[in-house]
Each structure stands twice: as structure tokens, then as C-alpha cells.
Amino acid sequence: MANSPPAVVTDETIGEPVLSEDAAAEVFIVPRRRSLSTRLVGGIRGGLKLARRVLVAVFSFVSLVVLLAVVAAVPVLNLWALGYLIQAEGNIARTGKFSSAFPLLGRARQLGGTLLGIAVIILPLRYLGGFASDMALVDPTSGSTVFLQILTTVVAIAAFVHLSAALCVGQGGLRFFRPRRNLRVLYREGRSGEFLEARSAVVGEFVRDLEIRRNVMLGLLGAAGVLMWTLLPTALYASANAPQGPQILVTLLGGVLLALVCSWAPILQAGYAREEKFSAYRRLSEARLLFRRAPLLWTLALLVGYALSLVLYLFKIVAPPQDALWMMTIVFIAAIYPARIFLGWVCYWSTTRTKEPHRLWRWLWSLVSLAVCGFYVFLLFFTRNIGAQGKLVLFEQPLLLIPSPF
């Protein structure tokens, strides 16, 4: 055996154990160094594995963002998207692990791979159908036109059967390129009577992982909690058509109140995401305590979140067509998702601290955070003049509410 100790013999002249000749030869064998070509091949394989992991991670995140963007562009369903972002923020606020902020990353990768496989299979059919349509316009009665039409029909039927089999087989992107294997699997499961049971189990597991009821309730209560704080100040801030005379006092009052609310609302929502209890929106004292434990980090989180929000208001200038709304929503999701992850991590960091920094340090960053929120509210006033929805744009708050352009 490779791990057995070397053979030992006893020297009768001195009475001490010594190694046998074979064992001594094994001990003094010098291991061979790997050749340059072997190390080069190993390095290439390691690089390819790393590149594959990076590509899979990027593809998974892009698929997740697109999924959230499509859902966020649909009324009522957009509450699920908001609830998912709150869930992600709450996961990292409880654990401090960035990996917990992507609960649907695996499912999004599967869904993205499925859509990509369908697009690859359908793409040749689209070109073939386009050629057949062009030939029908040029010469509808020619033999080439009839042949192309028949060929397009046959290819469409074959593609439909192949895609149906691939979707029924299960997971894995390679299933779209293994038609014979898909048919064998379906035939085997059909004969054994396990097809419907297996497919229903897969679909049920996918639906359960979406956590539709939980995320919708998280989004609904999360939006209600934010509006509970922002609705009145925003209404005062947007009530004046022209800030002149007595109306300027109403606008100033609404602006000051909104700046104060914007400085605490993200912290309150982070607490709500961590506990998943609506009562967290009423615990202003706990939010102040969290801020006092990490004032610099909270100020940076507010700065990043509201700076990204101001950039997103530029996409509200012109309302896009309804069928293209999800394309603009991708930008909103891609910008707000990292901001919420940062807020959740700062919340976790604050809950794990027991000591508070010096009072002067806390006051300094309190003033800076108020300045950041005040500048955000000041610029927010002008968005109603450029936004396609007028004054309603002031109520949207993409950092705290549904991340959608309209």
C-alpha cells in the first residue's frame, strides 16, 4: 500500500533496526518535477474554469435583473419585485453574507438558460420564415416559393416538437441540443407512468421558490410603511404650483419634513426588511440607535442610494411604449439592487456593534446626512418640471418604492 510504513529489518551485529534496501531506495527517490507543458496545461484549465465561473455568475445576475425588470413593469405584479428586493435586503441584514442577497439567483439562471435555448432554436426558423415571405411577395406561384413554404412548415413542426420535449425533460441548457436523448427520456418516463408526477413536482418546486405570497405581502407592507412617512410631506412639497407668497412657506415646510423623513425612511425600511414586521416602521428610536452605531456607513448608504435615484429620474422624462417599459426598468433594477444590498449590510453592521463612537463624530455625520437628504429633496423639486407624470413623480421614490420608471 502507498501509505504503509517502510519495511524494517534488524541488524544482528548492532541489534538496532535498519531499513531494508528496497525501503531505502523508496525513501531516497526524488519526486519528479512537473514539466513546463504539464504546468501550462494545468494553468490553462484553471483559467478556463475561472472564466466559466465568472461567465455563469454574470449570466445569472443578468437573468435575475431581467426577470425582476419584466415583473416590475407589470402593475400589481411589481409588488412581488419590490418584495423580492426587500427580502434580499433583509437576508443580508440578518446574516451579513452577500451571497444571501440573491435568493433566486439559481432559478433565474435556469430561466435565462431556458429562454436563451428557445431563442437559439427559433432564430433559424425566423430567418427561414422571412425568406419564405419575401419569396411569396416576389413570385407566389413559383416552385421555389412553394418549396420554402413547405420547408418552413416542416421546420416549424420539428422545432415545436423539439422545444416541447426539451422543456418537458427538465433542467440543463444542453437539453436543447440533444433531441434524441429528450425523446428517449420522455418515452421511458411515459412508459413508467412517472412523467406527470415528476413534471408537476418540478413546476411546484419552482413556484414555491418564487415565494409569491410572501414577496407580495413584503412589497405591499413595505410600500405602505414608506408612504406612511412620505405621503404628507410630499403632498405639501408638491401642493404649490408656484412657490410665491404664502405658498412658498408650504413648500419649505414640506421640503424640510421630506428631508427629515428621507434621512430615516431607508433605515426604518432596512429594519422592516430584517424583521419582516410592519411595526418596525414605527420604531424611530431603534433607527436612531442604528444610525448612532455606524453614522459614517449610513451616510454613505444614503448618499449612494439617493445619488442613483436622481440619475434614474432622468429616465422619467419621456414615457416609453408599454411593451418597452421593461427595458427601462432594467436600468432601475440594476441601480437600486446594489443600493439595497449596501443598506442591508450597513444594517447588519449596526446591529452587531455595541459601542457608539464619540458624540462629535455622530453629530458630524448626522449633519452630513441631513445635507445629503436636503440636497436630494431640493433637486427632487425640479423633477416635476421634466417628468412625464408631473407632480406625481415626487411620490415615486425609486430607492424605497417600486423601482420602475412609470
Side-chain angles (χ1 to χ4, degrees):
M1 298 178 62
N3 297 328
S4 61
V8 179
V9 296
T10 303
D11 191 346
E12 297 179 356
T13 59
I14 60 177
E16 294 182 359
V18 296
L19 294 176
S20 63
E21 295 182 358
D22 296 338
E26 293 180 1
V27 170
F28 291 103
I29 291 177
V30 179
R32 292 183 179 180
R33 297 183 61 184
R34 294 197 308 170
S35 62
L36 179 60
S37 60
T38 304
R39 285 182 290 174
L40 182 60
V41 171
I44 293 175
R45 289 178 178 176
L48 291 177
K49 289 182 180 180
L50 178 61
R52 179 179 177 275
R53 291 177 181 177
V54 172
L55 289 176
V56 170
V58 172
F59 178 78
S60 302
F61 181 74
V62 171
S63 300
L64 179 59
V65 170
V66 173
L67 172 62
L68 292 175
V70 172
V71 177
V74 180
V76 180
L77 291 181
N78 48 19
L79 290 174
W80 179 89
L82 176 60
Y84 175 85
L85 293 177
I86 293 176
Q87 179 191 3
E89 182 179 354
N91 288 345
I92 193 172
R94 287 187 294 269
T95 63
K97 299 179 180 179
F98 287 95
S99 58
S100 64
F102 306 95
L104 276 182
L105 193 64
R107 290 300 186 183
R109 180 175 64 249
Q110 295 175 3
L111 185 59
T114 300
L115 296 178
L116 181 61
I118 294 174
V120 170
I121 298 301
I122 292 181
L123 185 61
L125 180 62
R126 293 185 59 185
Y127 281 105
L128 186 60
F131 292 149
S133 299
D134 294 339
M135 289 292 295
L137 292 175
V138 175
D139 191 358
T141 59
S142 66
S144 300
T145 302
V146 175
F147 173 76
L148 278 177
Q149 291 175 345
I150 296 175
L151 180 61
T152 302
T153 303
V154 173
V155 172
I157 295 174
F160 174 77
V161 174
H162 170 58
L163 290 177
S164 300
L167 293 175
C168 291
V169 163
Q171 304 174 1
L174 293 179
R175 69 185 187 274
F176 290 97
F177 307 99
R178 297 174 178 176
R180 295 180 58 184
R181 180 179 178 275
N182 296 339
L183 294 176
R184 287 199 301 268
V185 171
L186 291 179
Y187 178 73
R188 183 172 62 252
E189 291 185 355
R191 290 190 60 184
S192 61
E194 300 176 353
F195 175 76
L196 293 178
E197 182 179 356
R199 298 290 81 77
S200 61
V202 171
V203 174
E205 183 180 359
F206 182 83
V207 174
R208 284 194 300 270
D209 289 343
L210 294 179
E211 296 182 301
I212 298 176
R213 183 177 181 276
R214 175 191 178 188
N215 287 334
V216 169
M217 291 303 300
L218 278 176
L220 181 62
L221 295 179
V226 171
L227 291 175
M228 179 180 69
W229 284 96
T230 62
L231 190 60
L232 179 59
T234 307
L236 294 175
Y237 195 49
S239 60
N241 294 322
Q244 298 176 357
Q247 293 183 348
I248 194 173
L249 298 178
V250 178
T251 302
L252 289 176
L253 176 61
V256 172
L257 292 177
L258 186 59
L260 292 174
V261 167
C262 287
S263 64
W264 296 113
I267 307 177
L268 292 171
Q269 192 173 66
Y272 164 73
R274 179 168 57 91
E275 301 178 10
E276 297 187 5
K277 295 180 179 179
F278 187 78
S279 58
Y281 279 110
R282 300 193 297 266
R283 301 171 190 169
L284 189 58
S285 59
E286 293 186 8
R288 291 175 178 173
L289 177 62
L290 292 178
F291 183 88
R292 290 198 302 267
R293 290 177 177 175
L296 173 59
L297 291 177
W298 279 115
T299 303
L300 289 177
L302 294 176
L303 176 61
V304 171
Y306 288 129
L308 292 174
S309 298
L310 288 174
V311 174
L312 295 179
Y313 277 107
L314 297 176
F315 293 88
K316 297 176 177 288
I317 298 176
V318 179
Q322 191 65 30
D323 55 351
L325 183 61
W326 67 273
M327 296 183 182
M328 294 183 62
T329 311
I330 292 178
V331 181
F332 280 67
I333 297 294
I336 296 303
Y337 205 151
R340 283 193 173 272
I341 292 176
F342 190 26
L343 284 168
W345 180 81
V346 174
C347 182
Y348 168 79
W349 178 268
S350 302
T351 55
T352 56
R353 302 299 97 183
T354 57
K355 296 182 179 180
E356 298 180 5
H358 195 272
R359 183 177 301 176
L360 293 178
W361 182 259
R362 300 198 309 265
W363 286 356
L364 170 64
W365 291 110
S366 296
L367 293 175
V368 173
S369 65
L370 285 176
V372 169
C373 295
F375 186 67
Y376 165 74
V377 171
F378 172 73
L379 294 180
L380 190 65
F381 179 81
F382 300 98
T383 59
R384 65 180 188 175
N385 299 324
I386 64 174
Q389 309 239 338
K391 293 182 179 181
L392 292 178
V393 74
L394 300 176
F395 294 86
E396 294 177 351
Q397 298 289 346
L399 177 62
L400 304 173
L401 297 176
I402 298 171
S404 176
F406 299 99

